Amino acid sequence: MDRFEHLNGKLEHIVFKDGCEMSLKAIYARVPFVQNSDIPTKLGCELTDDGLLQIDSFQRTSVDGIYACGDSTIWMRSVANAVATGANAGAFLNKDLIKKAFYQN
């Protein structure tokens, strides 16, 4: 590939090094995931092979007392997913705090 050609920002062609062109309307790319913050790893939280924070089914990380949610934990990028996993993390954290406060000495 040599270059992308566009008209007013709208992708039109890929031009290859030999001069051949291929018309297209869209191109998709899977960019590598990178955590935007190194705070979880500095605290000792483990990452998956894909670079996501490793969590269990209750949103707990590998470090006791640290819960994670949203884009840092799953490939599905959406506001709805972030809200849902955030609500779960808050509920599970609350459950664990109640358990520690009332059921353990």
Side-chain angles (χ1 to χ4, degrees), residues 69-71 74-87:
C69 60
D71 292 357
I74 193 168
W75 280 105
M76 186 173 28
R77 306 277 182 253
S78 73
V79 171
N81 183 64
V83 170
T85 57

Side-chain angles (χ1 to χ4, degrees), residues 39-98:
I39 294 171
T41 54
K42 283 184 176 180
L43 293 171
C45 297
E46 293 180 22
L47 300 177
T48 66
D49 291 340
D50 294 326
L52 299 168
L53 285 169
Q54 184 175 320
I55 57 169
D56 66 12
S57 57
F58 296 98
Q59 304 297 133
R60 295 183 196 114
T61 67
S62 57
V63 177
D64 187 40
I66 299 179
Y67 297 70
C69 60
D71 292 357
S72 65
T73 63
I74 193 168
W75 280 105
M76 186 173 28
R77 306 277 182 253
S78 73
V79 171
N81 183 64
V83 170
T85 57
N88 285 340
F92 295 132
L93 170 60
N94 185 57
K95 176 192 163 292
D96 287 346
L97 290 173
I98 290 170

Side-chain angles (χ1 to χ4, degrees), residues 3-4 8 22 29 36 47 68 78 98 101:
R3 67 185 182 276
F4 293 107
N8 297 322
M22 184 171 88
N36 288 321
L47 300 177
S78 73
I98 290 170

